[in-house]
Amino acid sequence: MHTSTIGLWALAAGIVSAKSCFNATVEVDISARNGVFDKIKTPETNLDATTFALASAKTGGNITEEALSGYATVGGRYNISTQYCMPKNSESGSHTLQILTHGMGFDKSYWDLPYHNFNYSYVDYVLSRGYHTFSYDRLGIGKSTHGDAKNEIQSFLEIEALAELTRKVREGSLEGVKKPSKVVHVGHSFGSAQTVAMSAMYPDLSDALVLTGFSASIASMPVFLAGANFQQANLNHPPGCPSTPRPSYSSGYLVNSDIGTNKFLFFCPGNFDEGILSYAEQNKQPMTVGELMTMTGLPTSSAFTGAVYVIDGENDIAFCGGACSYTTDSSASIPAGVKAVFPKASAFSAYVHPNTGHGINLHYNSTAAYKQINDFLGAQGLISESHEHEARHHHDF
Ligand SMILES: *[C@@H]1O[C@H](CO)[C@@H](O)[C@H](O)[C@H]1NC(C)=O
Ligand SMILES: *[C@@H]1O[C@H](CO)[C@@H](O)[C@H](O)[C@H]1NC(C)=O
Ligand SMILES: *[C@@H]1O[C@H](CO)[C@@H](O)[C@H](O)[C@H]1NC(C)=O
Ligand SMILES: *[C@@H]1O[C@H](CO)[C@@H](O)[C@H](O)[C@H]1NC(C)=O
Ligand SMILES: *[C@@H]1O[C@H](CO)[C@@H](O)[C@H](O)[C@H]1NC(C)=O
């Protein structure tokens, strides 16, 4: 299989971020059986995007079913923009790698937000506990190859990209990336949905899963779809730059309309810095109609046998309708319902993190969520051996 990487090492400066990072573009040869959505036209205007949202949010409807004319194998060679980080002065012992898959509205910088000198960085936090990280822009998004928004950039093909990146990393065939002894997959939102699906399709690629901003409930998806007030990425004016929309995205790549809708989708009022909301809006990334139509139809059960951790902000709108502790069934919380997806998991725990919306990493208390996640992983023995001793004395970051 063809492999080529174009890399660039950099030592990140900064007081907190004692890290060495390697940016590389990785070529992957992948294919998947995608949906062919030829019964609807790709939305071209902002008002077409509204029509799409209305069709998607309809009670009792299923836009995927309505648009689908069949399935076809789609694939080729694509570029994926990646970032690998390790602790500065990293010892040469074995290490556990966390592979980070971002959600809709963001790119890989969700995990390493530069805002306030990386004060919110998940990457910095986990490096301090001895892990290495590998993040990437999902296929179609950011600096990774863009594609047809309806029939190409769908969950199915993106999951193959995640699986292929994981194989390359595990076999140590990516230039600049040290071969890990264990791999933990960490997702956010749609990135968590892809992580679950990957574990169902290829259960041996992962040693543990962390699903952030995720639940098995799709009851609140219409609230998310309506709340975004979708516009075309290439017509929507980024704040502060009214004359430069995003020309590299074709029609059918949609963004939330403005800072108000960004707040609605991702934030819990009173629990974040207004400056980071502006940052999120200025750097917002699109989602494709193909992605939106393939969020369901993914595997609903996984035979994965490792440990699984789920964590949601209590006020998550997309996956809990704004109240993750509220349930009408017997489960302890909405995220606790994910347990049913993993009947063979060696360990399962679900946690509701207070005073936080869907975009966990952008809230004041984000590092306390990072601690919850990594305390769980540590308790499962998923920690770099060279760091075990230090980590035991380093629980209050
Ligand atoms: C690596 O990528 C990050 C964003 O993911 C960027 O902020 C940084 O400047 C890049 N570093 C280099 C050396 O290109
Ligand atoms: C990937 O990016 C490199 C460098 O920009 C470019 O030469 C190459 O053609 C790209 N490959 C694909 C599959 O887009
Ligand atoms: C950094 O984050 C902590 C919480 O993790 C917060 O208390 C502090 O105000 C933040 N500082 C800055 C400069 O953002
Ligand atoms: C909608 O239809 C698609 C295609 O038939 C199917 O895979 C998916 O499970 C359906 N979604 C729901 C929520 O029923
Ligand atoms: C911060 O998060 C931790 C872990 O979820 C929680 O125990 C604590 O109450 C939170 N603090 C606030 C102010 O929400």
Side-chain angles (χ1 to χ4, degrees):
M1 188 155 290
H2 178 93
T3 294
S4 124
T5 56
I6 307 129
L8 198 53
W9 273 99
L11 295 181
I15 301 155
V16 199
S17 53
K19 61 177 184 257
S20 312
C21 294
F22 183 59
N23 293 358
T25 300
V26 177
E27 284 190 338
V28 292
D29 290 315
I30 49 171
S31 64
R33 191 166 163 271
N34 268 13
V36 179
F37 294 121
D38 284 349
K39 291 189 180 168
I40 62 162
K41 283 190 185 141
T42 300
E44 299 286 337
T45 66
N46 285 336
L47 288 175
D48 289 347
T50 307
T51 302
F52 177 80
L54 278 167
S56 304
K58 197 164 38 180
T59 302
N62 181 344
I63 178 93
T64 313
E65 185 69 44
E66 288 159 28
L68 191 70
S69 60
Y71 290 90
T73 299
V74 171
R77 180 166 296 169
Y78 300 95
N79 269 340
I80 306 291
S81 173
T82 74
Q83 180 166 51
Y84 170 66
C85 295
M86 66 167 102
K88 216 172 184 171
N89 310 318
S90 170
E91 292 150 54
S92 54
S94 63
H95 68 278
T96 297
L97 179 73
Q98 297 197 14
I99 297 184
L100 314 173
T101 304
H102 66 85
M104 288 177 169
F106 297 95
D107 58 20
K108 64 179 171 310
S109 66
Y110 175 77
W111 304 107
D112 195 24
L113 294 163
Y115 189 77
H116 278 188
N117 197 25
F118 296 93
N119 197 34
Y120 294 80
S121 170
Y122 181 79
V123 168
D124 282 1
Y125 181 86
V126 302
L127 295 187
S128 80
R129 295 186 67 157
Y131 296 96
H132 296 201
T133 60
F134 184 84
S135 57
Y136 67 101
D137 290 347
R138 287 194 341 259
L139 177 64
I141 307 299
K143 293 189 189 127
S144 293
T145 306
H146 300 173
D148 180 80
K150 194 176 68 171
N151 287 337
E152 187 176 25
I153 306 303
Q154 299 181 4
S155 303
F156 310 117
L157 191 58
E158 292 180 44
I159 293 159
E160 295 302 334
L162 169 58
E164 185 59 14
L165 284 172
T166 304
R167 286 183 204 107
K168 287 179 186 298
V169 163
R170 285 196 92 111
E171 70 199 19
S173 67
L174 283 190
E175 183 207 335
V177 181
K178 281 193 193 176
K179 188 176 167 159
S181 55
K182 290 200 172 122
V183 169
V184 176
H185 284 90
V186 184
H188 175 243
S189 189
F190 188 47
S192 295
Q194 294 190 14
T195 297
V196 172
M198 190 207 68
S199 83
M201 295 164 72
Y202 311 110
D204 296 338
L205 286 181
S206 202
D207 294 294
L209 309 178
V210 174
L211 311 171
T212 77
F214 178 75
S215 78
S217 166
I218 55 167
S220 300
M221 277 303 152
V223 181
F224 176 86
L225 294 165
N229 188 24
F230 287 128
Q231 296 196 348
Q232 297 288 344
N234 57 19
L235 297 175
N236 177 259
H237 294 287
C241 352
S243 61
T244 53
R246 303 163 186 80
S248 66
Y249 290 112
S250 57
S251 299
Y253 272 86
L254 309 179
V255 287
N256 65 281
S257 59
D258 60 16
I259 194 166
T261 54
N262 199 314
K263 177 174 172 179
F264 182 90
L265 298 181
F266 298 112
F267 289 86
C268 176
N271 293 286
F272 63 89
D273 177 342
E274 298 284 338
I276 207 169
L277 170 60
S278 298
Y279 172 88
E281 178 60 12
Q282 275 158 18
N283 294 285
K284 69 185 172 188
Q285 293 291 331
M287 49 209 89
T288 70
V289 292
E291 292 179 328
L292 291 165
M293 289 189 286
T294 56
M295 292 190 297
T296 64
L298 298 174
T300 50
S301 179
S302 170
F304 180 67
T305 55
V308 180
Y309 191 69
V310 183
I311 180 168
D312 291 343
E314 162 69 38
N315 310 84
D316 189 308
I317 199 81
F319 284 89
C320 300
C324 284
S325 301
Y326 179 85
T327 53
T328 49
D329 62 26
S330 57
S331 47
S333 67
I334 294 171
V338 177
K339 192 173 200 300
V341 177
F342 293 101
K344 296 185 174 167
S346 61
F348 178 89
S349 188
Y351 183 70
V352 176
H353 178 60
N355 302 318
T356 296
H358 184 54
I360 296 172
N361 296 11
L362 292 87
H363 290 74
Y364 283 135
N365 203 18
S366 58
T367 42
Y370 305 161
K371 177 168 155 42
Q372 293 293 328
I373 293 166
N374 290 281
D375 283 355
F376 175 84
L377 293 176
Q380 303 305 316
L382 286 153
I383 184 137
S384 299
E385 281 156 34
S386 55
H387 241 257
E388 255 171 29
H389 182 73
E390 193 183 326
R392 243 175 250 133
H393 300 280
H394 198 70
H395 275 303
D396 289 305
F397 179 78

